[in-house]
Amino acid sequence: MNGICGIKPKRGNIIRPLIYLSREEIELYCSENSLEYVTDSTNLSDDYTRNKIRHQIIPLMREFNPNLISTISDETKLLSDINSFVELKVDEAIESCKAENGYSCNALKALPDEIKPSVIYALCRENGVKPEYKHISLILSILNSGAVDLNGNIRAVSKQGTLRFINTEDKENYFSDIELKLPMRFTWNNKNYSVEELNNEKSEVALKRTLLEKKLIFRTRRAGDTFTLPKRKVTKSLKKLFNELKIPEEKRNKILLLADGSDILWIEGIGASENARSYKNDGFIINIKNRNGVNNNA
């Protein structure tokens, strides 16, 4: 509908007060008020499609409807108002469909059919895709499950009830193993990490001091990794745990771990395992600070 509405009278800080006036009306006003104006010479040539429409098609259409210009102008205003209302509803729908790491497929499917294409169109634009009708249809067809490649190296993926948009050209961030020390600081994946001693302070995320006696390393996931859930004392493969937590595939290689061989003692964003957690007011904690200054003790 944006294309049908044409140029808006106000867009950002640009205002076009004469957009709904005809050329004849503007020229008459200039004549009556002795105003000089300049004609763009390119508007006189039929080498441009817009001029062929102005010079050849519009005059022919006016033979059937002498009020064509005013009719188009009135319809454009009406469509613009309708489009503004639709855009408002689309924004509300997108907000209601937001989920962790993407958009809820069930919420998208529950939207009225009349607004679904507009919502998918807006999601594509937000995620760097120049959407065509075929893209919208393909995305709607995979909401139960599936994936489809769009333009601009973007892929839409529907998995575990979540729709996500992934840039297939994103390069993986490979983390070089770092041995645990106290204290220590390092940076990776736009985050600042620090390991700090806990002195008689209450903390539900503290790790045992005795771990410092081992040769433990910070690294990312590997095949065969396992994690023992705190309190429940159930050991699961890291792959199964990430599946249960619905962590997107593209994020799994960027989650930092503290490992003792294949035994994962700490997972970024999840915390310490039963084998590593300190239930006393001592030990150490791992702080994570995003580059924007947000702290996260995990």
Side-chain angles (χ1 to χ4, degrees):
M1 198 180 294
N2 278 321
I4 300 175
C5 291
I7 300 173
K8 295 182 178 180
K10 184 177 185 300
R11 181 179 295 166
N13 64 347
I14 303 298
I15 299 174
R16 298 176 172 87
L18 307 182
I19 195 69
Y20 289 128
L21 295 180
S22 68
R23 181 184 183 92
E24 290 80 3
E25 289 174 313
I26 295 173
E27 287 183 344
L28 178 61
Y29 181 87
C30 290
S31 175
E32 290 176 346
N33 292 275
S34 302
L35 298 176
E36 293 184 3
Y37 60 88
V38 175
T39 299
D40 184 349
S41 60
T42 61
N43 287 336
L44 304 177
S45 170
D46 282 354
D47 292 340
Y48 303 95
T49 301
R50 68 176 187 272
N51 291 342
K52 285 185 179 180
I53 294 172
R54 288 171 180 165
H55 300 156
Q56 299 178 31
I57 298 178
I58 295 296
L60 182 62
M61 293 176 69
R62 291 180 78 170
E63 291 181 14
F64 297 96
N65 181 4
N67 297 318
L68 177 70
I69 301 302
S70 62
T71 300
I72 292 176
S73 179
D74 291 342
E75 291 294 331
T76 300
K77 292 176 187 177
L78 178 61
L79 286 171
S80 183
D81 291 339
I82 294 172
N83 189 50
S84 296
F85 177 76
V86 171
E87 288 179 345
L88 176 64
K89 291 301 178 183
V90 166
D91 290 342
E92 292 175 356
I94 290 175
E95 194 64 31
S96 70
C97 293
K98 283 184 178 178
E100 188 174 3
N101 302 313
Y103 309 92
S104 166
C105 290
N106 285 336
L108 288 168
K109 288 187 289 185
L111 293 173
D113 290 340
E114 294 81 3
I115 201 173
K116 279 180 188 175
S118 295
V119 170
I120 299 301
Y121 177 89
L123 291 180
C124 287
R125 293 289 298 268
E126 286 183 8
N127 289 277
V129 177
K130 294 180 179 179
E132 300 174 21
Y133 183 78
K134 63 180 180 180
H135 298 140
I136 295 171
S137 299
L138 286 170
I139 293 172
L140 287 172
S141 72
I142 65 164
L143 287 182
N144 286 326
S145 182
V148 59
D149 287 326
L150 309 171
N151 56 37
N153 303 307
I154 304 297
R155 177 177 297 154
V157 178
S158 173
K159 188 175 182 181
Q160 295 179 321
T162 302
L163 176 69
R164 306 190 307 278
F165 292 83
I166 302 167
N167 189 331
T168 58
E169 283 201 341
D170 274 350
K171 303 299 181 183
E172 289 288 354
N173 290 326
Y174 292 100
F175 182 81
S176 298
D177 296 356
I178 298 179
E179 186 176 346
L180 171 68
K181 296 178 182 178
L182 183 65
M184 67 182 301
R185 297 178 184 276
F186 59 92
T187 301
W188 182 67
N189 195 28
N190 292 320
K191 299 173 188 173
N192 297 318
Y193 297 81
S194 64
V195 180
E196 302 172 6
E197 187 172 7
L198 189 68
N199 294 314
N200 295 319
E201 301 172 31
K202 283 190 176 183
S203 175
E204 295 183 358
V205 295
L207 288 83
K208 297 176 182 176
R209 186 181 297 275
T210 53
L211 294 176
L212 297 169
E213 300 170 4
K214 298 183 177 184
K215 187 175 181 179
L216 307 179
I217 61 168
F218 285 104
R219 62 171 175 82
T220 52
R221 67 171 178 161
R222 294 175 186 168
D225 284 343
T226 59
F227 182 79
T228 303
L229 298 171
K231 295 185 179 179
R232 290 171 58 190
K233 300 181 180 179
V234 176
T235 300
K236 296 185 177 185
S237 70
L238 207 58
K239 181 177 180 179
K240 185 174 182 180
L241 179 63
F242 283 173
N243 284 340
E244 290 178 357
L245 296 175
K246 297 184 178 180
I247 298 175
E249 284 286 343
E250 67 272 14
K251 291 190 175 183
R252 298 183 183 187
N253 287 338
K254 298 179 181 180
I255 295 176
L256 195 63
L257 314 170
L258 180 64
D260 181 9
S262 61
D263 183 17
I264 304 304
L265 304 176
W266 171 87
I267 303 175
E268 177 183 350
I270 297 175
S273 73
E274 176 63 26
N275 302 332
R277 185 173 175 180
S278 173
Y279 290 95
K280 301 177 182 179
N281 296 335
D282 65 358
F284 63 96
I285 58 174
I286 302 169
N287 284 318
I288 307 170
K289 181 181 288 188
N290 294 331
R291 289 292 176 87
N292 61 11
V294 177
N295 283 297
N296 177 27
N297 294 330

